[in-house]
Amino acid sequence: MPALEAMSNPSPTRKYSVASGLLSGMRIVEGAAFVAGPLGGMTLAQLGADVIRFDPIGGGLDHRRWPITGDGRSLYWAGLNKGKRSVVLDLKSEEGRELATSLITAPGPDAGIFLTNYPVGAWLDYDHLAELRGDLIMCHILGNNDGSTAVDYTVNAAVGFPEITGPDDFGGVMNSVVPTWDLVTGMTAATGILAADRFRQRTGEGRLMRLSLSDVAVAVLGHLGQIAEVQVNDDDRGRYGNYLYGAFGRDFVTADDRRVMVVAITPRQFKGLIAAAGLQSQLEVVEKNLGFKLRSDGDLFNARETIAGILEPWFASQSLAEVATAFAAHRVLWGPYQTVRQMLENDPRATAANAMLEVIEQPGIGQYLMPGSPLDTGQDRLPPRPAPLLGEHTDEVLSEILDLSPGEIGRLHDRKVVAGAEPV
Amino acid sequence: MPALEAMSNPSPTRKYSVASGLLSGMRIVEGAAFVAGPLGGMTLAQLGADVIRFDPIGGGLDHRRWPITGDGRSLYWAGLNKGKRSVVLDLKSEEGRELATSLITAPGPDAGIFLTNYPVGAWLDYDHLAELRGDLIMCHILGNNDGSTAVDYTVNAAVGFPEITGPDDFGGVMNSVVPTWDLVTGMTAATGILAADRFRQRTGEGRLMRLSLSDVAVAVLGHLGQIAEVQVNDDDRGRYGNYLYGAFGRDFVTADDRRVMVVAITPRQFKGLIAAAGLQSQLEVVEKNLGFKLRSDGDLFNARETIAGILEPWFASQSLAEVATAFAAHRVLWGPYQTVRQMLENDPRATAANAMLEVIEQPGIGQYLMPGSPLDTGQDRLPPRPAPLLGEHTDEVLSEILDLSPGEIGRLHDRKVVAGAEPV
């Protein structure tokens, strides 16, 4: 069991003794760049799978993606490849491609799983790979489902959200700063791989799964009711600024110039909010004018501006600390707005007090707080592990998985078909 | 195999003959509301799992969540519960809770999986349930990992994105209209359930997995390098409006007043964009003034306003159709902005031409385009299935899974411990 042996003899950058994780023993080969593919692989690595990433020598298109350190190391690449092993190969050479192909199709009931978002020409074609391993599981992430190129930002433009983001008097389109479609696609890939693995265990059959960013985004639009909103209700969702659609929610400014997000979806939450602010009598006036009691989430949405109007002066008279105290007593659903720095400095959800987080040394970059899997599986939960150095595991993987001798590996280095770790 | 029998005898709302899906035979019980839990269950249902959702009689807190039809049916609930079975129980009664508990812990190697975001007091406590089924897999979705309440909108406020969304001269915070943390949490739950199922098949051991929206959001912040950006670089991400961070990307207005999103992350993409617009000589002037060639994605980001400045007049002189033609010839990475309506009317990615999508009758609502799983698994891919009517499968499930006789089920109805389907 070479892969398990490697996990029990961690490389010098992984010093702790760890549980082995729910997916211990599973091996995935990843040839992927940017967010979705690498996130899918990392999700499985953080649950204990042995994820071997291959890259061209010198790194792929995402190896220097921003944010970067002063000397050009990518914090993004390090963030999306935690806990994987890294192999670098000359993917333009026949020999380098054959090595990648051999890794992808290597035997073993827990191996033979390939995750990629590369354009799959002849050498990465599923039918070609399946000649070498008939039960191969391959998840191929695409931009659009016809194989044409798209990225999170172009997909997001297509599905309507930038048209409804921002204040109602804002005329243009507003892009998102969160690559939601990449994130959901990466997680869908992880789910798909585990589903196909379960299927293979029962039937012996492999599968090619094609998964596109645009299908993920269109599916979510359907899931949230936004396709039916047009096709059934003949309605176009408006632009509601910071108001929560379909219930009551908005940001407010406190006396000490902080902002808080307040949400009331259920009648209990709304009652608690009004009680915490001591605004029962003002609410009674509002309801008298309306001629009905504000009960449902739809009522709250329709009356949102009136409700916000009675709440605003209260927030303006309270400090953030006073708001927190009043809201705790009435179980109000709320939270402060924070910058990333404020969160890291003040919020226990984002410090090492949180069992998911640990300060780790990332070789070549330094020490900082890294997350493990958000799935808290108790005794099996793995601590976060840093990303590999690019090429850190080339020799180890060629020896373990492909059974190459030191002499053979040496000759591959000499001919520049493979390379070792980038300098720290 | 009562569950399989039920799947081969679909209820009248599911008339087509279908492949059985990668997860055929797996049974999950879901007690969940809003987005994350229901999405996690639906993701597995769309891959072939038998997902049985239980709700209080009359529906849970999300049963009327907006958007709704004119007569109050929730397009949102229908969207997030496609392909599941629905059971309704009086969850305030001891007997109703016992029925739910029996469903959750019913025997079978492919059963004993429970997905919930309910507050788990005594009766839904893992240790209590595990007394009835020792190898139970339970995924418990939380707001914050300490069990305190949080929702997507309060978590999003906490992790810094609203502070960097919008134009650089915008002073406030800008909420997202996409519940990203709900979506990613739901997909993480689906992944976790399949990982725990794999582990149980190998070890016979069940697991409780706790998963919070806030941990998911903080983890993503780490994955994208934004924690290290503060802790290593001592840098606070700015507000860049519609510019793509770390490369070149922005919206532009065409001569016919449409907007397009244009992206160049790689040197090839940038070269293609400039060539498509015929702006090579203007770029040479820019580069001469800068004193260097714009090559890396970081260069492109730093020079983003200059680059946008030379592109703007070109876009203003071209119709959307002309832009599309020029960009196709140079493989430019771009896409038009669309409202949901425009997408549904014009974009083949969002019509029944897309194999993921089909026009389906949703009982009580009508016909509209519904998505199946975005994972295209070829022959195993299931067509989209509508959501159940609330309570549609109460009797069927009590009979199949709990082996109750028609007389016993009738008495449960008489005592209002259970109910049947809501009226169409």
Side-chain angles (χ1 to χ4, degrees):
Chain A
M1 302 283 279
L4 284 178
E5 189 182 292
M7 295 177 74
S8 61
N9 291 303
S11 68
T13 56
R14 297 184 243 154
K15 288 192 210 297
Y16 31 80
S17 90
V18 294
S20 54
L22 293 180
L23 297 180
S24 174
M26 177 178 246
R27 188 205 299 152
I28 292 140
V29 174
E30 175 188 303
F34 300 110
V35 179
L39 174 66
M42 189 172 69
T43 296
L44 301 173
Q46 293 198 311
L47 293 172
D50 178 23
V51 178
I52 299 171
R53 178 184 163 100
F54 68 81
D55 277 287
I57 296 171
L61 291 171
D62 59 340
H63 192 57
R64 303 288 170 191
R65 184 91 176 88
W66 281 29
I68 53 174
T69 61
D71 51 2
R73 300 269 179 168
S74 172
L75 302 173
Y76 168 103
W77 195 90
L80 286 160
N81 291 296
K82 294 188 287 283
K84 298 178 191 173
R85 296 201 281 175
S86 168
V87 171
V88 290
L89 306 166
D90 175 7
L91 294 173
K92 292 190 173 153
S93 75
E94 191 61 35
E95 233 179 329
R97 291 177 173 194
E98 270 172 25
L99 288 170
T101 303
S102 301
L103 286 174
I104 292 165
T105 60
D110 287 342
I113 303 174
F114 179 40
L115 171 60
T116 191
N117 72 336
Y118 286 171
V120 296
W123 77 280
L124 285 179
D125 181 68
Y126 183 80
D127 291 336
H128 167 65
L129 296 169
E131 283 170 20
L132 300 168
R133 177 163 179 154
D135 68 350
L136 182 71
I137 292 168
M138 174 164 159
C139 183
H140 185 200
I141 296 175
L142 303 154
N144 295 315
N145 67 15
D146 65 359
S148 61
T149 308
V151 291
D152 182 281
Y153 321 99
T154 60
V155 166
N156 195 50
V159 294
F161 293 109
E163 307 265 359
I164 60 170
T165 303
D168 55 6
D169 59 355
F170 180 77
V173 290
M174 186 84 74
N175 288 351
S176 170
V177 292
V178 183
T180 300
W181 314 116
D182 273 337
L183 298 173
V184 180
T185 300
M187 296 309 304
T188 305
T191 300
I193 284 171
L194 294 178
D197 174 63
R198 185 180 191 278
F199 183 78
R200 184 173 69 178
Q201 285 171 47
R202 293 173 181 236
T203 62
E205 293 178 35
R207 278 294 179 271
L208 168 65
M209 294 177 285
R210 300 170 81 257
L211 174 65
S212 66
L213 294 179
S214 71
D215 274 359
V216 165
V218 170
V220 165
L221 213 55
H223 300 341
L224 298 176
Q226 289 175 263
I227 291 177
E229 196 172 17
V230 172
Q231 293 191 335
V232 176
N233 287 358
D234 193 18
D235 198 15
D236 297 282
R237 180 80 58 99
R239 207 166 209 149
Y240 301 115
N242 282 348
Y243 284 107
L244 168 62
Y245 176 75
F248 183 75
R250 217 200 70 179
D251 62 313
F252 290 92
V253 181
T254 63
D256 48 351
D257 210 27
R258 289 291 305 268
R259 283 175 191 268
V260 297
M261 178 71 196
V262 181
V263 175
I265 300 176
T266 68
R268 192 202 60 70
Q269 287 165 349
F270 183 60
K271 214 170 152 186
L273 170 61
I274 295 298
L279 293 170
Q280 291 94 335
S281 56
Q282 286 90 326
L283 180 68
E284 276 165 28
V285 174
V286 166
E287 289 178 333
K288 199 168 174 189
N289 291 338
L290 287 169
F292 61 89
K293 298 249 176 213
L294 293 170
R295 296 192 62 88
S296 78
D297 44 0
D299 291 346
L300 298 180
F301 182 66
N302 287 329
R304 65 193 178 276
E305 290 182 350
T306 309
I307 296 168
I310 66 171
L311 284 166
E312 264 170 13
W314 181 78
F315 280 101
S317 73
Q318 307 287 313
S319 69
L320 178 64
E322 288 165 336
V323 167
T325 303
F327 281 1
H330 290 84
R331 294 168 58 215
V332 175
L333 182 45
W334 76 289
Y337 285 83
Q338 307 176 129
T339 63
V340 176
R341 188 182 296 271
Q342 285 173 323
M343 182 193 66
L344 293 168
E345 285 172 357
N346 304 315
D347 190 331
R349 294 175 293 184
T351 69
N354 179 342
M356 179 180 73
L357 300 165
E358 207 176 299
V359 174
I360 301 281
E361 170 80 20
Q362 176 63 51
I365 292 179
Q367 296 204 337
Y368 55 95
L369 202 63
M370 284 187 206
S373 172
L375 282 158
D376 181 1
T377 53
Q379 68 264 52
D380 312 294
R381 192 178 204 181
L382 296 169
R385 291 172 294 170
L389 290 169
L390 188 73
E392 180 177 345
H393 305 95
T394 302
D395 294 5
E396 172 185 309
V397 167
L398 294 178
S399 162
E400 260 179 48
I401 316 279
L402 301 187
D403 236 348
L404 299 190
S405 69
E408 288 169 310
I409 294 170
R411 283 187 291 277
L412 289 169
H413 279 275
D414 293 345
R415 292 201 307 280
K416 301 196 187 312
V417 176
V418 307
E422 63 184 334
V424 175
Chain B
M1 302 284 281
L4 284 178
E5 188 180 294
M7 294 175 74
S8 60
N9 290 306
S11 67
T13 57
R14 298 183 242 153
K15 286 193 208 300
Y16 31 80
S17 90
V18 294
S20 55
L22 292 180
L23 298 180
S24 174
M26 177 177 246
R27 188 204 301 151
I28 293 141
V29 174
E30 175 187 303
F34 300 109
V35 179
L39 175 64
M42 187 172 67
T43 298
L44 301 173
Q46 293 198 310
L47 293 172
D50 178 23
V51 178
I52 299 170
R53 178 183 165 100
F54 68 81
D55 277 287
I57 295 170
L61 292 170
D62 58 341
H63 193 57
R64 301 289 169 191
R65 184 88 176 89
W66 280 29
I68 54 174
T69 60
D71 51 0
R73 301 268 177 167
S74 173
L75 302 174
Y76 167 103
W77 194 91
L80 286 159
N81 292 295
K82 294 187 288 282
K84 298 177 190 173
R85 296 201 281 175
S86 169
V87 171
V88 290
L89 306 166
D90 175 7
L91 295 173
K92 292 191 172 151
S93 76
E94 191 60 37
E95 234 180 329
R97 291 177 174 195
E98 270 171 25
L99 288 171
T101 304
S102 300
L103 286 175
I104 292 165
T105 61
D110 287 343
I113 303 174
F114 180 40
L115 171 60
T116 190
N117 71 337
Y118 286 172
V120 296
W123 75 282
L124 285 179
D125 182 67
Y126 182 81
D127 292 337
H128 167 66
L129 295 170
E131 282 169 21
L132 301 169
R133 177 162 179 153
D135 67 349
L136 181 71
I137 291 168
M138 174 165 158
C139 183
H140 184 201
I141 296 175
L142 304 155
N144 295 315
N145 66 15
D146 66 358
S148 61
T149 308
V151 291
D152 182 280
Y153 322 99
T154 60
V155 166
N156 196 50
V159 295
F161 293 110
E163 307 266 357
I164 60 170
T165 302
D168 54 5
D169 59 355
F170 180 77
V173 290
M174 186 86 72
N175 287 351
S176 171
V177 291
V178 183
T180 301
W181 314 117
D182 274 337
L183 298 174
V184 180
T185 299
M187 295 309 305
T188 306
T191 300
I193 284 172
L194 294 178
D197 174 63
R198 186 179 190 277
F199 183 79
R200 185 173 69 177
Q201 284 172 45
R202 292 172 182 238
T203 63
E205 293 178 36
R207 280 292 180 273
L208 168 64
M209 295 177 285
R210 299 170 82 256
L211 173 65
S212 65
L213 294 178
S214 71
D215 274 359
V216 165
V218 170
V220 165
L221 212 56
H223 300 339
L224 298 177
Q226 288 174 264
I227 292 178
E229 195 171 19
V230 172
Q231 294 192 333
V232 175
N233 287 359
D234 193 20
D235 197 15
D236 297 282
R237 180 80 59 100
R239 207 166 209 149
Y240 302 115
N242 281 349
Y243 283 108
L244 167 61
Y245 176 75
F248 183 75
R250 216 199 73 178
D251 62 312
F252 290 92
V253 181
T254 63
D256 49 350
D257 210 29
R258 290 292 303 270
R259 283 174 191 267
V260 296
M261 178 69 194
V262 181
V263 174
I265 300 175
T266 66
R268 191 200 61 69
Q269 287 164 350
F270 184 59
K271 215 171 148 183
L273 171 60
I274 295 297
L279 292 170
Q280 291 94 334
S281 57
Q282 286 89 326
L283 180 67
E284 276 166 29
V285 174
V286 166
E287 290 180 331
K288 198 168 174 188
N289 290 338
L290 288 168
F292 63 88
K293 298 248 175 211
L294 293 170
R295 296 192 62 88
S296 79
D297 45 0
D299 292 346
L300 299 180
F301 182 65
N302 287 329
R304 64 192 177 277
E305 290 181 349
T306 309
I307 296 168
I310 64 171
L311 284 167
E312 264 169 12
W314 181 79
F315 280 101
S317 73
Q318 308 286 315
S319 69
L320 178 63
E322 288 166 336
V323 167
T325 304
F327 282 181
H330 291 84
R331 294 167 57 215
V332 175
L333 182 45
W334 76 289
Y337 285 84
Q338 305 176 130
T339 63
V340 176
R341 188 183 295 270
Q342 285 174 322
M343 183 193 66
L344 292 168
E345 285 172 356
N346 304 314
D347 190 331
R349 293 174 294 184
T351 70
N354 179 341
M356 180 180 73
L357 299 166
E358 208 175 299
V359 174
I360 301 281
E361 170 79 21
Q362 176 63 52
I365 293 180
Q367 296 206 337
Y368 54 97
L369 203 63
M370 284 188 206
S373 171
L375 282 159
D376 180 1
T377 53
Q379 67 264 54
D380 311 294
R381 194 179 203 180
L382 296 170
R385 290 173 295 170
L389 290 170
L390 189 72
E392 179 178 346
H393 305 95
T394 302
D395 294 5
E396 170 185 308
V397 166
L398 294 178
S399 163
E400 261 177 44
I401 316 279
L402 301 185
D403 235 348
L404 298 190
S405 69
E408 289 170 309
I409 294 170
R411 284 188 290 277
L412 289 169
H413 280 274
D414 293 343
R415 292 202 306 281
K416 300 197 190 307
V417 177
V418 307
E422 64 185 333
V424 175

